[in-house]
Amino acid sequence: MKKYVYAILFLSIAGAALSGMLLLQHYYPDSGPGSLFCGGGLVNSCLTLAQSPYSTLLGMPMAAFGLFWHLTAVFMLLIADYARGRYYAYSLAALLPLACAAVTADILLGALLVKTGLFCALCIATYGVNLAVLALLLLWSRLDRETGGTGLAATFREILSDREASPDRKAFYASFILFMFLLAFALFSTSHIMRLKTERKRMPPEKIESILQEFYRTPGQEIAFPESGIILGDAGAPVTITAFTDFLCSACHEFYRMEKFLLSKYHGRIRIVYFNYPLDGECNPDVRRTLYANACLASRAIIAASEAGILDRYIVSHFADYGRIHTGYGTESALEAFRNSGAKREGIGEKEFTAMMNSEETTRRLERDIALAKELGVSATPTLFIGGRKMEGVPPLEILDRMIARELAGR
């Protein structure tokens, strides 16, 4: 019997940890667990799911209900293992229907994953834990019957009709009810506080609407952008964000972090087209003073990555080390990002990549981008063009989100 208790206890602790990570990611999408379990690419399926309407029930994240279930199981099993005797049977009788309910909910959620075409490794891991817990509880129930147990129905009747229970058992019942209430209160109020905290950082709706009205008051221009080659997202997506950027500037790094969120939320519906505008006098004659040394080299590396067909992975690798490279970028930085992108597995060597960086074609593309930026009046990075309208700097995420939604609705 104890082997089942300890195995279920271990799985419940693991399930609580997984549910906690899902809850954290729901409110803080850029946190580590999503990258750890769902990959660190530009599009994160866990992040996509966390932003979908399927991630909540009655206004609360589904992960909060999962965490409540697993913590309840941990508490009941610890009490049973401490009190022993009939408390083993009581915990089995209580946990088995709860586990059945959890697995039923998982089947429905799994069907939603299939419907959306998303793969959430964290979610699937919790489904596996719940299924394993249910299997162990069923085995424990069979063992209980084989060893002369009273059975689940009789145990339930005993719990509900135990009017002559001893004072210590009555105290246990009262403590258990109190614990369940406090656990639910603590868990769901904490989740509510997390929601309020994250919402407090967001821009007020009236200000968002004011900025949008100002942005769309300017008529959109028909701009014939040339083929960039540096494209993130679906090349055939209906909405395009064109960005003139310096791949070492801090605001451009902030924009990249937003891109991961937006590309996940609007997967297949938006694309981000890059043009180079390095704030480096080495290659950009319009820059009065160099703000980011070797930004021209960084642009060359990105162009080479697009030529080599490793753009997405290279950009992820490039920005993953941004804290170090933005003030100390060099050829070795470009090659290190190349190595971390896994390009060697595809037969592309460092010499070949370096040759692409220094090729005449790369130089022509860089010069073309800088000339185009001058023609369009670009003087800062990032400068965005959405629907033919120009925007300098990094707007708040809420603004970009609403703009994309509006552009999609207008098509």
Side-chain angles (χ1 to χ4, degrees):
M1 180 184 299
K2 280 195 173 184
K3 65 180 181 180
Y4 293 116
V5 172
Y6 293 146
I8 296 169
L9 180 61
F10 172 79
L11 287 170
S12 298
I13 293 172
L18 292 170
S19 298
M21 285 189 276
L22 281 168
L23 184 61
L24 178 66
Q25 183 174 268
H26 181 87
Y27 291 113
Y28 300 96
D30 204 26
S31 60
S35 297
L36 180 63
F37 286 88
C38 297
L42 286 169
V43 178
N44 185 319
S45 56
C46 292
L47 176 56
T48 304
L49 195 64
Q51 299 175 85
S52 74
Y54 304 121
S55 64
T56 59
L57 177 66
L58 301 177
M60 298 299 297
M62 295 296 298
F65 293 97
L67 185 56
F68 178 75
W69 146 240
H70 289 296
L71 289 178
T72 298
V74 169
F75 172 75
M76 294 182 69
L77 290 169
L78 287 175
I79 290 295
D81 193 52
Y82 176 78
R84 301 175 187 271
R86 290 293 295 159
Y87 289 98
Y88 282 123
Y90 296 159
S91 64
L92 173 61
L95 290 176
L96 189 53
L98 290 176
C100 290
V103 170
T104 301
D106 288 345
I107 292 172
L108 296 175
L109 292 173
L112 289 175
L113 284 185
V114 174
K115 177 184 176 182
T116 58
L118 298 172
F119 177 81
C120 174
L122 274 173
C123 304
I124 293 172
T126 61
Y127 304 163
V129 167
N130 286 335
L131 193 60
V133 167
L134 177 59
L136 288 170
L137 285 168
L138 290 172
L139 290 173
W140 181 6
S141 176
R142 187 179 69 177
L143 176 64
D144 183 63
R145 291 195 306 271
E146 292 175 350
T147 54
T150 56
L152 294 179
T155 303
F156 270 120
R157 286 195 297 271
E158 181 181 341
I159 293 172
L160 297 175
S161 63
D162 200 356
R163 299 174 182 175
E164 303 301 324
S166 60
D168 64 321
R169 186 173 294 182
K170 290 180 180 179
F172 166 74
Y173 290 160
S175 299
F176 178 75
I177 294 172
L178 179 63
F179 170 81
M180 295 295 290
F181 172 78
L182 291 177
L183 176 62
F185 176 80
L187 186 58
F188 292 108
S189 61
T190 299
S191 182
H192 180 68
I193 291 170
M194 291 172 70
R195 180 172 64 84
L196 293 178
K197 185 177 179 180
T198 52
E199 287 181 350
R200 195 175 296 124
K201 296 179 181 179
R202 299 173 184 171
M203 186 176 289
E206 58 273 13
K207 189 171 183 180
I208 293 175
E209 190 59 33
S210 174
I211 293 174
L212 287 172
Q213 288 179 3
E214 180 67 26
F215 180 75
Y216 281 100
R217 192 171 293 128
T218 303
Q221 299 177 340
E222 290 291 334
I223 304 174
F225 289 104
E227 287 295 326
S228 164
I230 309 176
I231 301 174
L232 303 181
D234 191 332
V239 172
T240 298
I241 299 175
T242 301
F244 284 82
T245 190
D246 177 320
F247 287 99
L248 293 184
C249 89
S250 54
C252 301
H253 174 245
E254 183 62 28
F255 178 60
Y256 161 76
R257 296 180 63 188
M258 291 185 183
E259 288 173 342
K260 296 179 69 175
F261 182 92
L262 294 171
L263 287 169
S264 293
K265 181 173 183 178
Y266 297 102
H267 183 48
R269 291 180 288 167
I270 66 168
R271 66 173 185 162
I272 298 165
V273 178
Y274 276 119
F275 290 94
N276 293 279
Y277 190 73
L279 303 178
D280 181 358
E282 182 183 343
C283 66
N284 189 345
D286 296 329
V287 175
R288 294 182 180 179
R289 67 183 182 89
T290 294
L291 296 181
Y292 298 97
N294 289 327
C296 295
L297 178 62
S299 290
R300 287 179 172 276
I302 297 295
I303 293 172
S306 69
E307 285 292 316
I310 58 170
L311 178 63
D312 287 20
R313 286 176 291 157
Y314 189 89
I315 283 185
V316 170
S317 180
H318 170 84
F319 279 117
D321 202 21
Y322 179 76
R324 181 174 63 85
I325 66 172
H326 82 287
T327 56
Y329 191 84
T331 302
E332 181 55 33
S333 305
L335 292 177
E336 187 174 350
F338 170 79
R339 297 183 199 110
N340 293 336
S341 70
K344 284 187 176 182
R345 294 194 301 268
E346 299 178 10
I348 305 171
E350 290 184 19
K351 289 184 178 180
E352 184 180 358
F353 183 74
T354 303
M356 290 179 181
M357 288 174 56
N358 299 322
S359 71
E360 292 183 5
E361 176 60 26
T362 296
T363 300
R364 281 194 294 269
R365 285 179 60 179
L366 183 55
E367 290 174 347
R368 179 208 63 182
D369 287 2
I370 293 171
L372 177 63
K374 183 177 182 179
E375 180 184 334
L376 295 173
V378 173
S379 60
T381 57
T383 294
L384 310 179
F385 289 85
I386 303 173
R389 297 174 177 86
K390 180 181 175 183
M391 173 182 289
E392 287 190 353
V394 184
L397 179 59
E398 297 93 334
I399 298 295
L400 272 177
D401 192 6
R402 289 284 299 277
M403 286 179 179
I404 293 170
R406 181 164 175 167
E407 291 293 317
L408 286 169
R411 291 177 182 270

